[in-house]
Amino acid sequence: MDEPQALAAFAALAQEHRLRLVRSLVTAGPDGMASGVLADAVGVSAATVSHHLKELSHAGLVASRREGRSIIYSAVYPVLSDLIAFLMRDCCQGHPEVCAPAMAALANCCPPNGETACA
């Protein structure tokens, strides 16, 4: 990930409802969630959630697919991982022990059996 991509991602996340949407989608896993369910989870109208999901999609943080009459949104885990890697790339100028708590926190969120939710 380069700096312009990181800036676009952070700009998209720098809004309360968008951050909640991404966190809900990360929690939902690769199967994702329907836009109506997301609207209820975040506490906004369908029109509002649609606007926010469009912004997150433009930043590459969420993807959508149609299932019947529903649009299902899911987190784009590789982009989220790249965003974290962008922040941690030059970790602590040769003192990785300073970054160890952040890395341990990430390791705790990923499935232990190698599933792709965090990949």
Side-chain angles (χ1 to χ4, degrees):
M1 174 170 289
D2 61 19
E3 191 170 289
Q5 292 169 315
L7 287 169
F10 284 122
L13 291 170
Q15 200 282 342
E16 174 185 5
H17 298 303
R18 291 183 205 146
L19 183 59
R20 287 182 185 170
L21 287 167
V22 169
R23 293 189 75 202
S24 293
L25 290 172
V26 166
T27 301
D31 291 337
M33 297 172 75
S35 57
V37 175
L38 278 167
D40 291 342
V42 176
V44 297
S45 70
T48 299
V49 83
S50 177
H51 164 74
H52 290 308
L53 288 167
K54 181 182 75 162
E55 293 297 317
L56 291 166
S57 180
H58 283 150
L61 298 170
V62 301
S64 63
R65 68 184 184 281
R66 183 170 288 283
E67 285 187 7
R69 298 173 76 186
S70 297
I71 297 179
I72 306 299
Y73 290 89
S74 56
V76 180
Y77 292 98
V79 174
L80 292 169
S81 295
D82 287 350
L83 185 60
I84 293 166
F86 175 83
L87 288 174
M88 305 299 285
R89 185 175 297 143
D90 300 315
C91 183
C92 308
Q93 297 183 7
H95 301 283
E97 68 278 1
V98 176
C99 297
M103 301 313 289
L106 289 173
N108 289 333
C109 80
C110 296
N113 61 358
E115 294 176 19
T116 60
C118 290

